[in-house]
């Protein structure tokens, strides 16, 4: 039986991880596992996890590792994760990365393909301040850079576009600081394991997508999936 595939998208808030993870997940026929989307869904549903996560996310801090890891393990037990997963925004701390290594080994995954999205701070702030997301299907737009055809309406399903509560400038500052403190060290962790690839994510959506396509195709060939 072929090993399951794990793609891990690392990078600061606003780097385009969600935008590209959706495309790669679609093209590879794998589920897109975004811990941010899962936590926002828990908040919407008013679960215990959602009630704990809400004030933390509103401040721009990270949700505790044990809660996030439990949520991810439950998601990986679902049948659609049987061939692999595209991780977006996870892992985000050294503890999460170490635990993920154990989970991947236990569950029959091959070596992960880890992609670091590299973008300067000025561009990140511009991207986050202009982001609008579809309230129905989660499609991501940007009023300055990737606008919808009709303002406020999703091109794909006609859903209403909304702004994320944590995209306010003061929360964005905290999220960027949390990234520098807790997530940036993961690039070194994965570099040492020789699984890290870097993408210049300051390019257009199409250019980043093409660069990722090359990385994904190479990994799929090496692992016998193409
Ligand atoms: P999460 O939802 O993961 O947010 P994030 O990492 O801060 O990343 P974003 O979703 O803001 O950005 P992105 O890189 O996905 O960019 P996007 O594609 O949307 O996490 C939110 C919170 O949840 C965290 O702060 C934390 O509290 C909690 N959390 C989540 N996971 C956790 C974990 N593992 N552990 C602990 N806590 C966790 O693009 C951004 C904008 O730019 C869009 O408008 C888009 O249209 C535009 N854009 C994208 N690409 C391009 C491009 N190439 N050119 C021009 N514009 C572009």
């Amino acid at each position: 039986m072929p090993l399951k595939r794990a793609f891990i998208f690392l990078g600061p808030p606003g780097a385009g991880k969600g935008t590209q993870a959706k495309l790669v997940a679609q093209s590879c026929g794998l589920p897109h596992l975004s811990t941010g989307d899962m936590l926002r869904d828990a908040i919407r549903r008013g679960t215990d996890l959602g009630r704990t996560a809400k004030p933390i996310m509103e401040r721009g801090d990270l949700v505790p590792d044990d809660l996030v890891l439990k949520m991810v393990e439950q998601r990986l037990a679902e049948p659609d994760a049987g061939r692999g997963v595209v991780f977006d925004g996870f892992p985000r701390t050294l503890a999460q990365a170490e635990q993920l290594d154990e989970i991947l080994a236990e569950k029959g995954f091959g070596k992960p393909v880890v992609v670091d999205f590299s973008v300067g701070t000025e561009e990140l702030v511009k991207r986050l301040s202009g982001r609008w997301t579809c309230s129905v299907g989660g499609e991501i737009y940007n009023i300055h850079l990737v606008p919808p055809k009709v303002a406020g309406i999703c091109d794909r399903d006609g859903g209403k576009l909304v702004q994320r509560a944590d995209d306010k400038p003061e929360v964005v500052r905290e999220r960027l600081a949390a990234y520098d403190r807790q997530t940036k060290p993961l690039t070194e962790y994965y570099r040492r394991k020789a699984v890290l690839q870097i993408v210049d994510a300051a390019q257009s959506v199409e250019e980043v997508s093409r660069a990722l396509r090359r990385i994904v195709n190479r990994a799929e060939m090496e692992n016998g999936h193409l």
Side-chain angles (χ1 to χ4, degrees), residues 11-20 34-37 39-40 56-57 60-65 68 88-92 96 123 127-128 130-132 140-142 145-146 164 166-167 175 201-205 208:
K17 305 179 296 294
T19 300
Q20 299 293 342
S34 156
T35 43
D37 285 351
L39 289 165
R40 280 184 289 279
I56 300 173
M57 290 170 71
D61 288 336
L62 295 188
V63 174
D65 290 336
V68 174
D88 161 17
F90 175 87
R92 245 178 159 96
Q96 289 180 17
E123 173 73 11
R127 287 187 184 182
L128 293 172
R131 171 166 56 193
W132 288 76
I140 304 166
Y141 296 90
N142 191 291
L145 307 161
V146 192
R164 262 171 53 177
D166 61 352
D167 280 347
R175 287 165 59 204
Q203 306 176 91
S204 69
V205 171
V208 177

Side-chain angles (χ1 to χ4, degrees), residues 187-208:
T187 52
E188 194 45 40
Y189 175 83
Y190 286 118
R191 185 173 288 124
R192 287 215 192 107
K193 289 179 175 283
V195 291
L196 185 71
Q197 316 251 7
I198 297 176
V199 160
D200 173 6
Q203 306 176 91
S204 69
V205 171
E206 293 70 27
E207 285 167 323
V208 177

Side-chain angles (χ1 to χ4, degrees), residues 38-206:
M38 291 165 81
L39 289 165
R40 280 184 289 279
D41 184 54
I43 293 175
R44 264 191 301 275
R45 289 186 291 114
T47 64
D48 287 347
L49 171 63
R51 277 194 295 277
T52 306
K54 188 169 189 271
I56 300 173
M57 290 170 71
E58 282 174 354
R59 287 197 303 271
D61 288 336
L62 295 188
V63 174
D65 290 336
D66 56 334
L67 299 180
V68 174
L69 281 160
K70 190 168 158 207
M71 180 178 82
V72 169
E73 284 212 72
Q74 281 170 356
R75 180 68 185 87
L76 289 177
E78 289 177 28
D80 67 340
R83 293 191 311 117
V85 169
V86 180
F87 292 99
D88 161 17
F90 175 87
R92 245 178 159 96
T93 64
L94 221 40
Q96 289 180 17
E98 286 166 356
Q99 189 70 33
L100 178 63
D101 280 347
E102 285 181 24
I103 296 171
L104 294 181
E106 260 167 36
K107 291 188 175 289
F109 279 80
K111 257 202 316 189
V113 176
V114 183
V115 182
D116 186 39
F117 284 56
S118 164
V119 186
T121 309
E122 206 179 304
E123 173 73 11
L124 295 174
V125 171
K126 188 156 134 201
R127 287 187 184 182
L128 293 172
S129 65
R131 171 166 56 193
W132 288 76
T133 308
C134 176
S135 55
V136 177
E139 201 69 13
I140 304 166
Y141 296 90
N142 191 291
I143 51 164
H144 313 300
L145 307 161
V146 192
K149 292 194 181 94
V150 178
I153 304 289
C154 178
D155 296 349
R156 181 170 287 211
D157 57 22
K160 186 171 173 247
L161 303 186
V162 293
Q163 271 191 301
R164 262 171 53 177
D166 61 352
D167 280 347
K168 294 189 198 96
E170 63 279 15
V171 186
V172 165
R173 267 197 299 279
E174 281 311 312
R175 287 165 59 204
L176 290 169
Y179 167 78
D180 278 340
R181 234 177 12 248
Q182 288 160 284
T183 310
K184 215 172 177 179
L186 293 192
T187 52
E188 194 45 40
Y189 175 83
Y190 286 118
R191 185 173 288 124
R192 287 215 192 107
K193 289 179 175 283
V195 291
L196 185 71
Q197 316 251 7
I198 297 176
V199 160
D200 173 6
Q203 306 176 91
S204 69
V205 171
E206 293 70 27

